[in-house]
Amino acid sequence: MISDIVDWLSCPHCATALIVEESSGVRLLCEEGHAFDVARPGYVSLLAGGGVPGTADTAEMVAERAAFLGAGHYDGIADLIADLAADAADGAADDDSCVLDLGAGTGYYLARVLDRVDRPGIALDVSKHAARLAAKAHPRIGAVVADAWAGLPVRGRAASVLLNVFAPRNPREMRRVLRPSGRAIVVVPEPDHLRELIAEYGLMAVDDRKPQRLREQFADRFEVESEHPCKTVLSLSADEVSRLIGMGPNAWHERAEEVRSGGAATVSVRAYVLSPR
């Protein structure tokens, strides 16, 4: 709920603290007078510009993702993230912190983490459609619409665990909101991820240099503490293949409609545990 996470949020306009005000509907107020209404589904938009960027996931993409993840196809990835997050939380200096998911989508991975980590969770995503589902994914999740490329509406050193799963990465802001004793868990696809579907449908391939580029991206602010590969082969129906294509960036190319049959799909990702420099 928003009230559970408000202490770690900040105004996107002036960076001052926010409080919950309930006299005429639920909204967040800052000391400079900026106000943000909490939507009926339970999320709040803290986009500084007021409008959602064109890259936000659509309602259709979010629905496809919810259906695919709900079927358990990525449970192995979620379990790995939850294990790493639990280890990171155990090593944190104190309990006065939150778990922050940057690019949280439907809240699927964050909810799995909160089942293991007894702290509030902030689900940040630029899509209001994703935030609507994330707000209901777990009782301790507060969902916020925000842009990863802008300054995050989160107070400095708020998080002891920061998740970033298949999502845009902003190392400067990630370092600012993470506690010195905290850990960031970044999950990215490997070059052979979904290789069968890439060959069959001409989907976007993963750059072979992705591991090197990730290390370079974080080098000034984080150190790679450990790496954890996760690989499996799924057997999917045609509908499931269509959902898998339709829930990600390939959906912008409308290739999900071209699915002809089911088949095998290699799921290959790597989770990086990063410690702040």
Side-chain angles (χ1 to χ4, degrees), residues 219-234:
D220 291 342
R221 295 179 172 87
F222 289 90
E223 179 178 354
V224 176
E225 191 172 275
S226 60
E227 301 180 29
H228 306 267
C230 181
K231 187 172 183 177
T232 189
V233 178
L234 303 176

PDB file of all heavy atoms in Angstrom, residues 219-234:
ATOM      1  N   ALA A 219      30.499   0.236 -13.785  1.00  0.00           N
ATOM      2  CA  ALA A 219      31.856   0.214 -13.237  1.00  0.00           C
ATOM      3  C   ALA A 219      32.149   1.361 -12.271  1.00  0.00           C
ATOM      4  O   ALA A 219      32.845   1.175 -11.267  1.00  0.00           O
ATOM      5  CB  ALA A 219      32.871   0.216 -14.376  1.00  0.00           C
ATOM      6  N   ASP A 220      31.637   2.551 -12.531  1.00  0.00           N
ATOM      7  CA  ASP A 220      31.968   3.711 -11.696  1.00  0.00           C
ATOM      8  C   ASP A 220      31.267   3.692 -10.341  1.00  0.00           C
ATOM      9  O   ASP A 220      31.735   4.342  -9.401  1.00  0.00           O
ATOM     10  CB  ASP A 220      31.592   5.013 -12.418  1.00  0.00           C
ATOM     11  CG  ASP A 220      32.485   5.283 -13.618  1.00  0.00           C
ATOM     12  OD1 ASP A 220      33.578   4.669 -13.684  1.00  0.00           O
ATOM     13  OD2 ASP A 220      32.093   6.081 -14.474  1.00  0.00           O
ATOM     14  N   ARG A 221      30.161   2.973 -10.232  1.00  0.00           N
ATOM     15  CA  ARG A 221      29.342   3.072  -9.018  1.00  0.00           C
ATOM     16  C   ARG A 221      29.111   1.736  -8.310  1.00  0.00           C
ATOM     17  O   ARG A 221      28.721   1.721  -7.148  1.00  0.00           O
ATOM     18  CB  ARG A 221      27.998   3.702  -9.360  1.00  0.00           C
ATOM     19  CG  ARG A 221      28.132   5.148  -9.840  1.00  0.00           C
ATOM     20  CD  ARG A 221      26.797   5.744 -10.202  1.00  0.00           C
ATOM     21  NE  ARG A 221      26.908   7.165 -10.481  1.00  0.00           N
ATOM     22  CZ  ARG A 221      27.211   7.665 -11.675  1.00  0.00           C
ATOM     23  NH1 ARG A 221      27.417   6.840 -12.698  1.00  0.00           N
ATOM     24  NH2 ARG A 221      27.314   8.969 -11.865  1.00  0.00           N
ATOM     25  N   PHE A 222      29.316   0.614  -8.995  1.00  0.00           N
ATOM     26  CA  PHE A 222      29.060  -0.688  -8.400  1.00  0.00           C
ATOM     27  C   PHE A 222      30.188  -1.664  -8.745  1.00  0.00           C
ATOM     28  O   PHE A 222      30.867  -1.520  -9.763  1.00  0.00           O
ATOM     29  CB  PHE A 222      27.736  -1.276  -8.914  1.00  0.00           C
ATOM     30  CG  PHE A 222      26.504  -0.594  -8.415  1.00  0.00           C
ATOM     31  CD1 PHE A 222      25.962   0.482  -9.119  1.00  0.00           C
ATOM     32  CD2 PHE A 222      25.877  -1.013  -7.262  1.00  0.00           C
ATOM     33  CE1 PHE A 222      24.818   1.117  -8.671  1.00  0.00           C
ATOM     34  CE2 PHE A 222      24.725  -0.390  -6.804  1.00  0.00           C
ATOM     35  CZ  PHE A 222      24.196   0.677  -7.505  1.00  0.00           C
ATOM     36  N   GLU A 223      30.300  -2.663  -7.896  1.00  0.00           N
ATOM     37  CA  GLU A 223      31.215  -3.771  -8.145  1.00  0.00           C
ATOM     38  C   GLU A 223      30.393  -5.045  -8.280  1.00  0.00           C
ATOM     39  O   GLU A 223      29.460  -5.274  -7.507  1.00  0.00           O
ATOM     40  CB  GLU A 223      32.205  -3.911  -6.991  1.00  0.00           C
ATOM     41  CG  GLU A 223      33.189  -5.054  -7.164  1.00  0.00           C
ATOM     42  CD  GLU A 223      34.182  -5.125  -6.026  1.00  0.00           C
ATOM     43  OE1 GLU A 223      34.170  -4.218  -5.169  1.00  0.00           O
ATOM     44  OE2 GLU A 223      34.966  -6.095  -5.994  1.00  0.00           O
ATOM     45  N   VAL A 224      30.714  -5.869  -9.274  1.00  0.00           N
ATOM     46  CA  VAL A 224      30.023  -7.148  -9.436  1.00  0.00           C
ATOM     47  C   VAL A 224      30.528  -8.105  -8.359  1.00  0.00           C
ATOM     48  O   VAL A 224      31.685  -8.512  -8.367  1.00  0.00           O
ATOM     49  CB  VAL A 224      30.251  -7.738 -10.833  1.00  0.00           C
ATOM     50  CG1 VAL A 224      29.585  -9.119 -10.938  1.00  0.00           C
ATOM     51  CG2 VAL A 224      29.688  -6.817 -11.913  1.00  0.00           C
ATOM     52  N   GLU A 225      29.637  -8.454  -7.457  1.00  0.00           N
ATOM     53  CA  GLU A 225      30.000  -9.322  -6.333  1.00  0.00           C
ATOM     54  C   GLU A 225      29.883 -10.793  -6.689  1.00  0.00           C
ATOM     55  O   GLU A 225      30.693 -11.626  -6.274  1.00  0.00           O
ATOM     56  CB  GLU A 225      29.103  -8.995  -5.145  1.00  0.00           C
ATOM     57  CG  GLU A 225      29.501  -9.605  -3.839  1.00  0.00           C
ATOM     58  CD  GLU A 225      28.655  -9.058  -2.701  1.00  0.00           C
ATOM     59  OE1 GLU A 225      29.009  -7.987  -2.160  1.00  0.00           O
ATOM     60  OE2 GLU A 225      27.639  -9.703  -2.362  1.00  0.00           O
ATOM     61  N   SER A 226      28.858 -11.136  -7.486  1.00  0.00           N
ATOM     62  CA  SER A 226      28.674 -12.525  -7.910  1.00  0.00           C
ATOM     63  C   SER A 226      27.767 -12.576  -9.128  1.00  0.00           C
ATOM     64  O   SER A 226      27.030 -11.626  -9.413  1.00  0.00           O
ATOM     65  CB  SER A 226      28.097 -13.379  -6.776  1.00  0.00           C
ATOM     66  OG  SER A 226      26.836 -12.881  -6.358  1.00  0.00           O
ATOM     67  N   GLU A 227      27.836 -13.701  -9.850  1.00  0.00           N
ATOM     68  CA  GLU A 227      26.998 -13.934 -11.029  1.00  0.00           C
ATOM     69  C   GLU A 227      26.293 -15.275 -10.871  1.00  0.00           C
ATOM     70  O   GLU A 227      26.870 -16.231 -10.350  1.00  0.00           O
ATOM     71  CB  GLU A 227      27.828 -13.952 -12.308  1.00  0.00           C
ATOM     72  CG  GLU A 227      28.595 -12.681 -12.588  1.00  0.00           C
ATOM     73  CD  GLU A 227      29.389 -12.786 -13.881  1.00  0.00           C
ATOM     74  OE1 GLU A 227      28.944 -13.530 -14.793  1.00  0.00           O
ATOM     75  OE2 GLU A 227      30.451 -12.156 -13.976  1.00  0.00           O
ATOM     76  N   HIS A 228      25.036 -15.337 -11.371  1.00  0.00           N
ATOM     77  CA  HIS A 228      24.239 -16.538 -11.174  1.00  0.00           C
ATOM     78  C   HIS A 228      23.444 -16.839 -12.447  1.00  0.00           C
ATOM     79  O   HIS A 228      22.399 -16.233 -12.686  1.00  0.00           O
ATOM     80  CB  HIS A 228      23.289 -16.358  -9.988  1.00  0.00           C
ATOM     81  CG  HIS A 228      23.981 -15.957  -8.729  1.00  0.00           C
ATOM     82  ND1 HIS A 228      24.403 -16.863  -7.798  1.00  0.00           N
ATOM     83  CD2 HIS A 228      24.363 -14.723  -8.272  1.00  0.00           C
ATOM     84  CE1 HIS A 228      25.008 -16.229  -6.798  1.00  0.00           C
ATOM     85  NE2 HIS A 228      24.990 -14.926  -7.066  1.00  0.00           N
ATOM     86  N   PRO A 229      23.920 -17.780 -13.274  1.00  0.00           N
ATOM     87  CA  PRO A 229      23.170 -18.133 -14.478  1.00  0.00           C
ATOM     88  C   PRO A 229      21.937 -18.962 -14.141  1.00  0.00           C
ATOM     89  O   PRO A 229      21.908 -19.691 -13.141  1.00  0.00           O
ATOM     90  CB  PRO A 229      24.184 -18.950 -15.288  1.00  0.00           C
ATOM     91  CG  PRO A 229      25.108 -19.522 -14.268  1.00  0.00           C
ATOM     92  CD  PRO A 229      25.196 -18.515 -13.159  1.00  0.00           C
ATOM     93  N   CYS A 230      20.923 -18.852 -14.968  1.00  0.00           N
ATOM     94  CA  CYS A 230      19.684 -19.619 -14.807  1.00  0.00           C
ATOM     95  C   CYS A 230      19.208 -20.005 -16.203  1.00  0.00           C
ATOM     96  O   CYS A 230      18.939 -19.125 -17.032  1.00  0.00           O
ATOM     97  CB  CYS A 230      18.629 -18.794 -14.082  1.00  0.00           C
ATOM     98  SG  CYS A 230      17.058 -19.655 -13.806  1.00  0.00           S
ATOM     99  N   LYS A 231      19.131 -21.300 -16.467  1.00  0.00           N
ATOM    100  CA  LYS A 231      18.804 -21.748 -17.824  1.00  0.00           C
ATOM    101  C   LYS A 231      17.869 -22.939 -17.775  1.00  0.00           C
ATOM    102  O   LYS A 231      18.049 -23.854 -16.970  1.00  0.00           O
ATOM    103  CB  LYS A 231      20.082 -22.114 -18.575  1.00  0.00           C
ATOM    104  CG  LYS A 231      19.880 -22.430 -20.049  1.00  0.00           C
ATOM    105  CD  LYS A 231      21.222 -22.591 -20.757  1.00  0.00           C
ATOM    106  CE  LYS A 231      21.055 -22.827 -22.239  1.00  0.00           C
ATOM    107  NZ  LYS A 231      22.355 -22.902 -22.944  1.00  0.00           N
ATOM    108  N   THR A 232      16.862 -22.926 -18.622  1.00  0.00           N
ATOM    109  CA  THR A 232      15.944 -24.038 -18.763  1.00  0.00           C
ATOM    110  C   THR A 232      15.354 -23.997 -20.164  1.00  0.00           C
ATOM    111  O   THR A 232      15.482 -22.992 -20.876  1.00  0.00           O
ATOM    112  CB  THR A 232      14.820 -23.976 -17.707  1.00  0.00           C
ATOM    113  OG1 THR A 232      14.069 -25.182 -17.742  1.00  0.00           O
ATOM    114  CG2 THR A 232      13.889 -22.792 -17.963  1.00  0.00           C
ATOM    115  N   VAL A 233      14.715 -25.075 -20.560  1.00  0.00           N
ATOM    116  CA  VAL A 233      14.044 -25.137 -21.860  1.00  0.00           C
ATOM    117  C   VAL A 233      12.561 -25.390 -21.616  1.00  0.00           C
ATOM    118  O   VAL A 233      12.189 -26.382 -20.978  1.00  0.00           O
ATOM    119  CB  VAL A 233      14.636 -26.237 -22.760  1.00  0.00           C
ATOM    120  CG1 VAL A 233      13.880 -26.291 -24.093  1.00  0.00           C
ATOM    121  CG2 VAL A 233      16.115 -25.989 -23.017  1.00  0.00           C
ATOM    122  N   LEU A 234      11.736 -24.480 -22.100  1.00  0.00           N
ATOM    123  CA  LEU A 234      10.296 -24.595 -21.940  1.00  0.00           C
ATOM    124  C   LEU A 234       9.671 -25.285 -23.147  1.00  0.00           C
ATOM    125  O   LEU A 234      10.171 -25.160 -24.271  1.00  0.00           O
ATOM    126  CB  LEU A 234       9.664 -23.208 -21.783  1.00  0.00           C
ATOM    127  CG  LEU A 234      10.173 -22.323 -20.656  1.00  0.00           C
ATOM    128  CD1 LEU A 234       9.484 -20.966 -20.729  1.00  0.00           C
ATOM    129  CD2 LEU A 234       9.956 -22.976 -19.304  1.00  0.00           C
TER     130      LEU A 234
END
